[in-house]
């Protein structure tokens, strides 16, 4: 497997080298060939969209007249708020979304579907094409999952799914060595695959494959491009994490010895390449101030050289704040029903750092002062997260062993792949919401804590620190911590607050969470989309 991946990587690098050396006019010729090759498919897609548009009212009535009407009316009401989402019948192009894992059901997918919903209401004649590798899912399957998972109702006729054949080339398992470079170069194969299916008028990457945007500009200089960056592929913090003494995260201390020296040099070279490809993007959006700062430091110089005049804008991801507000009350009555539960909702991935929370909880639980207090003896830690594969299952098993070694097993509960109603119930009755990932780019789960009225205790870094758990309306909305001792101290303080203090923090947190609603996202997204669409209307 290692030999195969290295051969693939060498072939990709050779092809990339040829592309870089090719004159611009040859690159344009490649683009012209792709446009000519997909012209017939474009016509067929537009004809099919028109046919589905005409047939949709009848299909909808036969399928589920009441529920579908109510769902689409909900979208209409949502989109009707504010002047930014007024309908524009004039422009009717094709917007391509590069999202090879569109059916994953995570926070990145919520951004994708909320973005498409906003576009459908602002520009109802636009066709949204999603390039995906989810061959096992039909269009109906995907849209049903979107409705059930995110409560996002989309207009089916103007959504088209084109299925990529080469998604395996962006899987980390293909590249045991030089993974960042391998996945980035592998995305070029997917980009060619995508444009072989259809060349859109606007091309937007919503998964972080910046190399695909450089490829599109190389072949189609006049194509408008956009990027929604959840997390920079490389960052100055990642480079710093290699330090033996001060490094943090999953690569902490990996810069030791000759291998560490080589890794540092490799990352520096990759950062320069990443800066070059980022300079080709017309409109750049990030999910947090932390991501914005890193993308600016990496891309701004090249973007200015290429006269990309728009600044990198923060467009916070949409969070189901309103749903949580409706479902969970914050009052003296509800306060009496909350239990002393510390809740951590996060996928069981290494970077989520569940071990830190277990050690912090053990330090809190076994503290002599807390052991002698009746107020803390029933405190419980609940870890909820999805399990993607065997590695994640093994990780949960190891965390259970750690809880046993720390002698907190009876006060810790692990819940895997919980459905939303169960998660909602835990949010309703928990006391504290915890986050321990170093440099989390945003933190949708932390916003959900706030909207549910939990007192948040988050890592002193990244989006949770800079954008979410901040002072609001003259008071704090939670705590920041880095070490297990800091977390343990924050647990003690948050559990010791008076009822009045707790309710005040919960209410401030909920008000603060309104900054991250779906409506706020839609308005900011549309403002950036206008930068891409307006040049095409002239």
């Amino acid at each position: 497997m290692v030999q195969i991946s290295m051969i693939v990587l060498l072939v990709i690098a050779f092809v990339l080298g040829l592309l870089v050396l090719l004159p611009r006019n040859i690159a344009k010729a490649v683009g012209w060939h792709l446009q000519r090759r997909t012209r017939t498919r474009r016509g067929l897609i537009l004809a099919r969209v028109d046919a589905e548009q005409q047939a949709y009212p009848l299909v909808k009535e036969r399928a589920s007249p009441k529920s579908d009407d109510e769902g689409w009316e909900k979208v209409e009401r949502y989109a009707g708020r504010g002047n930014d989402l007024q309908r524009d019948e004039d422009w009717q192009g094709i917007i391509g979304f590069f999202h090879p894992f569109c059916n994953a059901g995570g926070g990145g997918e919520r951004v994708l579907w909320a973005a498409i919903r906003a576009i459908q209401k602002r520009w109802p004649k636009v066709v949204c094409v999603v390039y995906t590798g989810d061959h096992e899912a039909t269009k109906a399957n995907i849209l049903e999952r979107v409705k059930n998972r995110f409560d996002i109702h989309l207009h089916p006729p103007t959504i088209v799914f084109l299925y990529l054949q080469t998604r395996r080339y962006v899987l980390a398992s293909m590249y045991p060595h030089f993974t960042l470079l391998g996945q980035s170069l592998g995305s070029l194969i997917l980009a060619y695959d995508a444009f072989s299916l259809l060349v859109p008028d606007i091309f937007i990457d919503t998964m972080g494959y910046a190399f695909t945007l450089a490829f599109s500009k190389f072949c189609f200089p006049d194509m408008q491009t956009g990027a929604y960056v959840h997390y920079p592929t490389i960052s100055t913090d990642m480079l710093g994490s290699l330090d033996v003494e001060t490094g943090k995260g999953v690569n902490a201390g990996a810069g030791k010895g000759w291998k560490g020296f080589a890794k540092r040099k490799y990352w520096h070279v990759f950062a320069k390449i990443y800066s070059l490809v980022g300079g080709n993007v017309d409109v750049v959006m990030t999910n947090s101030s932390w991501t914005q700062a890193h993308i600016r430091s990496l891309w701004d110089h090249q973007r200015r050289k290429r006269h990309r005049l728009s600044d990198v804008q923060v467009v916070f991801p949409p969070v189901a704040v309103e749903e949580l507000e409706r479902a969970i009350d914050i009052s003296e009555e509800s306060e009496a029903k909350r239990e002393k539960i510390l809740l951590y909702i996060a996928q069981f991935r290494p970077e989520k750092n569940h071990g830190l929370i277990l050690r912090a909880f053990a330090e809190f639980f076994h503290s002599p002062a807390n052991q002698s207090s009746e107020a803390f003896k029933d405190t419980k830690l609940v870890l909820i997260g999805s399990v993607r594969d065997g590695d994640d299952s093994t990780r949960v098993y190891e965390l259970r062993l750690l809880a046993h070694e720390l002698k907190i097993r009876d006060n810790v509960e692990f819940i895997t792949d919980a459905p939303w109603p169960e998660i909602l119930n835990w949010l309703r009755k928990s006391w504290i919401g915890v986050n321990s990932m170093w440099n989390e780019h945003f933190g949708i789960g932390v916003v959900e804590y706030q909207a549910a009225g939990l007192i948040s205790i988050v890592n002193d870094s990244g989006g949770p620190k800079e954008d979410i758990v901040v002072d609001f309306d003259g008071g704090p909305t939670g705590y920041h911590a880095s070490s297990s001792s800091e977390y343990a101290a924050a647990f003690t303080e948050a559990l010791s607050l008076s009822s009045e203090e707790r309710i005040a923090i919960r209410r401030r947190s909920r008000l603060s969470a309104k900054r991250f609603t779906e409506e706020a996202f839609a308005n900011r997204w549309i403002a950036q989309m206008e930068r891409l669409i307006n040049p095409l209307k002239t």
Side-chain angles (χ1 to χ4, degrees), residues 191-208:
Y192 186 85
D193 189 356
F195 294 133
S196 296
L197 295 171
L198 178 72
V199 178
D201 301 303
I202 296 173
F203 185 66
I204 300 175
D205 166 48
T206 48
M207 278 205 73

Side-chain angles (χ1 to χ4, degrees), residues 326-498:
R326 291 191 299 268
I328 300 175
D329 183 36
I330 298 178
S331 63
E332 293 181 2
E333 292 76 14
S334 65
E335 190 65 23
K337 298 177 183 178
R338 286 192 184 269
E339 303 172 26
K340 293 193 174 179
I341 296 171
L342 283 61
L343 183 65
Y344 188 15
I345 302 175
Q347 289 181 324
F348 287 104
R349 305 199 319 251
E351 61 270 26
K352 296 301 182 180
N353 207 359
H354 291 82
L356 173 60
I357 294 303
L358 286 171
R359 287 187 288 272
F361 183 71
E363 189 171 333
F364 156 82
F365 190 76
H366 295 305
S367 164
N370 293 342
Q371 280 281 302
S372 61
S373 173
E374 288 292 320
F376 299 133
K377 71 173 185 177
D378 294 326
T379 304
K380 184 177 182 179
L381 173 64
V382 177
L383 306 173
I384 300 178
S386 60
V387 172
R388 302 166 299 173
D389 49 32
D391 289 342
D392 286 355
S393 297
T394 302
R395 194 167 297 112
V396 173
Y397 175 73
E398 292 170 347
L399 290 170
R400 290 181 187 274
L401 289 179
L402 179 59
H404 179 75
E405 293 169 6
L406 294 170
K407 299 179 180 179
I408 55 174
R409 181 182 62 179
D410 293 339
N411 291 76
V412 177
E413 183 171 352
F414 292 86
I415 301 173
T416 59
D417 298 319
W420 176 245
E422 183 177 355
I423 293 173
L424 194 61
N425 187 49
W426 283 107
L427 287 168
R428 183 180 291 109
K429 65 183 180 181
S430 295
W431 196 288
I432 290 170
V434 181
N435 160 279
S436 60
M437 178 178 169
W438 176 68
N439 272 346
E440 175 111 52
H441 46 288
F442 179 64
I444 286 178
V446 178
V447 178
E448 291 176 340
Y449 294 158
Q450 289 192 328
L454 275 65
I455 300 172
S456 299
I457 300 176
V458 302
N459 196 270
D460 192 24
S461 65
K465 174 188 178 181
E466 296 180 18
D467 292 322
I468 305 173
V469 183
V470 297
D471 286 356
F472 189 83
D473 199 21
T477 57
Y479 301 83
H480 303 149
S482 295
S483 65
S484 59
S485 297
E486 290 175 356
Y487 274 100
F491 297 162
T492 302
E493 184 173 340
L495 290 165
S496 302
L497 295 172
S498 68

